[in-house]
Every structure is written in structure tokens, then in C-alpha cells.
Amino acid sequence: MSTGTRTRTQVAIVGSGPAGLLLGQLLHQAGIDAIIVERHSAEYVLGRIRAGVLEQGTVEVLDRLGVSSRLHAEGSIHEGVEIGFRGRRHRIPLKTLVGKAVTVYGQTEITRDLMEARAACGATAVYEAVDVELHDWAGISPKISYRRHGVAYEIACDFIAGCDGYHGVSRRSIPPPALNIFERVYPFGWLGVLADVPPPWQELIYANSERGFALASLRSPTRVRCYVQCSLDDRVDDWSDARFWDEFRRRIGEEIADRVIAAPSIEKSIAPLRSFVVEPLRYGRLFLAGDAAHIVPPTGAKGLNLAVSDVFYLHEALRDFYRERSERPLEEYSERCLRRIWKAERFSWWMTRQLHRFPGDAFAARMQETELEYLFESIAAQTSMAENYVGLPFGPSTDSLRTHAAA
Ligand code: FAD
Ligand code: DHB
């Protein structure tokens, strides 16, 4: 229904990260028309190296969409995770404790799978859209506008999904007095390196060392992804590959350090750590989802997984609206998301506090030692950690909520 540079769709999605792309596919499966508008090129989006750990609930959503065949072929299932402390490693046996595991499969690969699925079903995604603006979302006829290669475009829609990440335009379009913001900024960042070398570890190792945190992760049997806690003043150029591997070896524990190969990095980046939640997630006909609404420090591996549960709830609410003209799930969207978001915020904050160096706080250092000792001694504490790490349940779907209400 395109008239010149004006188009109409049911849902305009801002951002083609995991939240936007996944919402696009979920809506497509529900027969709802959507257009995705993204600021960067598809290649740029695919070049961002981020998450690696998927909860079982996330994998189940991708299964339902039929976009998980490569994930099952190439991803690896991890039934445990290790915590390094004072030179020793302690395994948390996830599967034994809570009956679930996590899957290691890069965010880049999920993004590629979702982009391919979108192209295969002929749905529209506009890349390199600049000056994206949101209009009239407080009323019933919202619009978004943007420019592409010098031409102005407008999309009229029923709803806008703000899936444009922490630095996006959607949250910034809402008048500040309407936003309730909860935030904690941590006094350090993570320096991440990707390198083509077989990992000398089978499961992820989160290490608390005197010199700061380190994480040993992987992407495949021939590719590692490793992180070290760094100063907020550090720049990527301050860290040669040799310096990175030297620091990583000193933190990860002797037994692994001896087997680490200082391979050349194929990607290196620094991410600051923050906890952030905005309430509510709904403003009229604008719905925020994923990093646009919340940030977790990466220590708990929750950011991508939360983006998935948000858009899962949003697609159910939009589906019910179009099927039955029922507004209720849309009204409940924010509360439903926030219940899960705050629990993931709590867990990520807890993991971050237990594993990083917080200089100048002797009491906090003793509490950290005590927490970790307790964790290694107590099956109850390990079960709690495992339950959160593999992901808390999504909760009942709107279908089953309706069945309950009718009973
Ligand atoms: P994004 O991925 O940020 O996507 C938003 C999109 O919107 C981008 O493509 C952006 O270009 C676009 N955009 C922005 N502004 C505009 C605009 N004005 N107009 C149009 N488009 C716009 N999470 C996990 O679950 N597990 C992990 O193991 C994990 N590890 C991580 C490690 C690191 C180092 C980092 C930095 C993050 C990690 N995360 C992890 C978090 C995870 O990567 C994010 O939570 C996830 O990317 C959120 O997806 P999103 O789609 O909401 O936002
Ligand atoms: C990875 C990132 C994380 O934040 C994490 O907690 C575990 C693994 C990764 O990039 O592999």
C-alpha cells in the first residue's frame, strides 16, 4: 500500500537487533504485517560481537519460529558452568541441579538466521535509515519518519515497537517526566577479544581474581571469546593482543593459563557495565522492548535473553489485539515484562558484585569472599544460581491465562 514515500503497516519496528528481528518473525508467523527500520547497514549489524549464552526458553522461541536448525547443528549445549576463585575452579552442575542447560551460540549467528528468515518470507526491512523520528504515538494513528539516501519516507501504523537498543530514538522520544528510571553504573568495563584458536576449556569459566574478573567463553570448537575487567578510562588501542592474553592468563587460573594460546584477535571491543530499567514499557501506542528498556551488566548473560522474552510477550499481546480486539494483554505488557526483567537485573547485579574487583571497599571484599565460599559449600545456593543462570520461566502465555480465567 505504498503511495510515493508513504507506506502503511500494522506494526512499525525500530531497530533490527535481536529484539526487532525476532518480533518481526513472531508477528509474521501470527499473520501481522510489520516493517523494520534500522539505522545501520545489515553488514554493520552482523559485525557487532556480543552475546553468546542462550537460555532454553530462548531456544524454544527460535524453535517455534523454525529458525533454529543452524543453532542446533553448530551451537553447543553446556550442562555446567565454572566459577574460578583463589586459583581453584568450582563447577556448578546446571543440568543436575535444575534439569536445564544453556546453549552457546553467538548473537551474530542468531541475527544472521533471523535476517535470512525475514528475507525468505519477503517481509520488509529498511537498512541505513537516518533521522528516524516517532510521531503521534500518544494517539491512535502513530507514524514514523526517516530519510534514506536523501529521500524522506513516512510509515503510518497502528503500533510502534521501540527495539532500538539503549542509544536508540524510541525511549528518547518520550517526555522525561513520564519515565521512571532506575540505574546503577559500575566503575569498570569489559574488554572482549574474539580469536580463532581451539578453547582449552569445555565449559565457561567466570573467574574472580586479585587482578579483576576474567571470563573464558567460546563460539565454536575453533573460536574463543574471552573478556577481562578493565578500567573505564582504557581504550582498545591501550590493549595489544599480547597484553590482553598476558592479563587473561594471570586471572583465569594456572591450569588453564598454561594451555592458553595467545592467538591474534579478530575483534576487540570495550563495553561499560550498567544496570538500567525504565518503567513503564508502554507509552500509548509505543512499546519498548529489549535494551531500549533495560540494560543488565553482561555477567549473568541475560541481555539478549530478556530481549527475547519481551518481544515474545509483545507479540502475544499484539496477536490478541488483532484476533479478538482485546486490549488487556497490551495493558498488561509492561507489568508482565517487568516481573521477569527485575529478576534478571537482580541476578546480573549479584553475579557482577561477586566476581569483580571493587577497589577501596574492604567490607564489600569480605562479603564477596563469604558469598563465594557459601556458594561453593551450599547445594541450595548453587541451585539458586543455576535456576537463574539457565533462565527463569517465561510464565503462562496469554492463551493459558485466558483458559484459567474461563475455568
Ligand atoms: P540491540 O542489539 O542494541 O539492537 C538495537 C538496534 O537498533 C541496533 O541494530 C541499532 O543499530 C538500531 N538502532 C539504534 N538507534 C536507532 C535509530 N535511531 N533508528 C533506527 N535503528 C536504530 N546478552 C545475553 O543474553 N547473553 C550474553 O552472553 C551477553 N553477552 C554480552 C556481552 C557483551 C560484551 C555485550 C556488550 C552485551 C552482551 N549481552 C548478552 C547483551 C545483548 O547483546 C543485548 O542485550 C542485545 O543485543 C539486546 O538486543 P536489542 O535488539 O534489544 O538491542
Ligand atoms: C559471553 C558473554 C557473556 O556476557 C557471558 O556472561 C557469557 C558468555 C560470550 O560472549 O560468550
Side-chain angles (χ1 to χ4, degrees):
M1 282 215 273
S2 179
T3 38
T5 56
R6 286 206 178 151
T7 313
R8 184 168 166 81
T9 188
Q10 288 173 300
V11 182
I13 301 174
V14 188
S16 92
L21 284 166
L22 187 63
L23 179 63
Q25 286 315 104
L26 286 162
L27 293 178
H28 175 77
Q29 199 179 49
I32 299 166
D33 187 46
I35 297 179
I36 298 180
V37 178
E38 161 66 45
R39 175 169 56 173
H40 290 294
S41 68
E43 296 70 38
Y44 179 93
V45 172
L46 283 170
R48 285 188 305 227
I49 307 296
R50 288 177 167 183
V53 176
L54 309 182
E55 298 171 357
Q56 205 158 300
T58 295
V59 174
E60 281 162 19
V61 172
L62 296 168
D63 285 344
R64 275 169 65 158
L65 276 174
V67 292
S68 58
S69 55
R70 209 159 62 87
L71 180 156
H72 290 295
E74 296 175 17
S76 55
I77 295 176
H78 288 223
E79 297 191 350
V81 63
E82 295 192 4
I83 308 287
F85 185 51
R86 296 198 165 134
R88 286 189 54 209
R89 293 194 342 254
H90 305 258
R91 182 170 189 265
I92 311 293
L94 305 169
K95 182 86 176 183
T96 308
L97 291 170
V98 293
K100 288 186 189 169
V102 292
T103 302
V104 174
Y105 186 66
Q107 175 167 333
T108 312
E109 308 310 320
I110 295 183
T111 307
R112 188 185 301 282
D113 295 342
L114 287 167
M115 280 180 178
E116 280 175 9
R118 188 159 187 87
C121 66
T124 313
V126 180
Y127 288 92
E128 301 176 346
V130 296
D131 297 338
V132 175
E133 286 181 28
L134 280 53
H135 310 272
D136 305 330
W137 43 264
I140 54 164
S141 307
K143 285 188 273 301
I144 67 171
S145 62
Y146 62 94
R147 282 186 310 107
R148 187 168 188 272
H149 301 162
V151 181
Y153 295 85
E154 193 177 273
I155 304 174
C157 55
D158 299 331
F159 299 100
I160 300 174
C163 300
D164 47 350
Y166 181 68
H167 298 287
V169 64
S170 298
R171 195 183 64 252
R172 277 190 282 117
S173 306
I174 300 159
L179 302 169
N180 293 304
I181 288 175
F182 302 85
E183 187 169 28
R184 172 136 312 175
V185 177
Y186 300 88
F188 41 73
W190 275 21
L191 168 68
V193 158
L194 192 68
D196 274 332
V197 65
W201 45 84
Q202 278 76 51
E203 293 178 336
L204 271 64
I205 308 168
Y206 291 81
N208 172 324
S209 92
E210 291 289 326
R211 299 178 65 88
F213 170 77
L215 168 59
S217 182
L218 59 145
R219 286 291 178 274
S220 75
T222 58
R223 183 170 281 188
V224 297
R225 177 69 168 161
C226 299
Y227 300 91
V228 294
Q229 173 181 353
C230 66
S231 158
L232 282 176
D233 300 326
D234 284 358
R235 296 286 156 263
V236 170
D237 290 345
D238 301 334
W239 286 83
S240 64
D241 290 348
R243 180 179 172 206
F244 176 85
W245 289 117
D246 181 51
E247 194 58 44
F248 180 77
R249 281 194 181 114
R250 286 161 180 245
R251 297 182 187 190
I252 203 66
E254 247 174 62
E255 199 254 326
I256 293 288
D258 291 344
R259 292 189 284 135
V260 168
I261 296 168
S265 61
I266 49 176
E267 196 267 356
K268 197 187 282 166
S269 50
I270 291 181
L273 266 65
R274 106 177 37 238
S275 300
F276 174 94
V277 181
V278 65
E279 294 184 358
L281 273 66
R282 178 190 182 172
Y283 299 83
R285 295 219 158 196
L286 166 62
F287 294 84
L288 301 178
D291 278 15
H294 43 78
I295 295 288
V296 284
T299 328
K302 289 283 160 259
L304 168 63
N305 292 295
L306 271 186
V308 171
S309 51
D310 286 356
V311 297
F312 186 79
Y313 297 149
L314 184 54
H315 110 278
E316 281 198 336
L318 291 166
R319 183 200 61 190
D320 291 356
F321 174 83
Y322 285 111
R323 262 195 209 158
E324 302 155 18
R325 293 284 140 187
S326 159
E327 290 268 354
R328 193 140 164 224
L330 289 172
E331 282 158 13
E332 290 170 351
Y333 166 73
S334 181
E335 212 181 298
R336 211 176 160 207
C337 290
L338 284 166
R339 275 200 292 274
R340 196 164 192 276
I341 290 165
W342 274 112
K343 290 187 190 101
E345 290 282 350
R346 183 202 72 81
F347 178 66
S348 308
W349 166 85
W350 179 84
M351 285 276 282
T352 303
R353 281 218 65 86
Q354 304 326 323
L355 296 172
H356 294 76
R357 286 286 106 182
F358 289 80
D361 189 343
F363 182 80
R366 280 283 183 276
M367 287 311 251
Q368 193 180 69
E369 288 165 21
T370 311
E371 276 276 353
L372 289 175
E373 266 178 37
Y374 172 59
L375 176 68
F376 303 144
E377 288 161 3
S378 162
I379 294 293
Q382 289 177 28
T383 306
S384 167
M385 183 191 149
E387 183 182 36
N388 283 276
Y389 192 76
V390 301
L392 295 173
F394 277 26
S397 76
T398 54
D399 293 331
S400 61
L401 289 177
R402 263 197 310 278
T403 318
H404 272 293

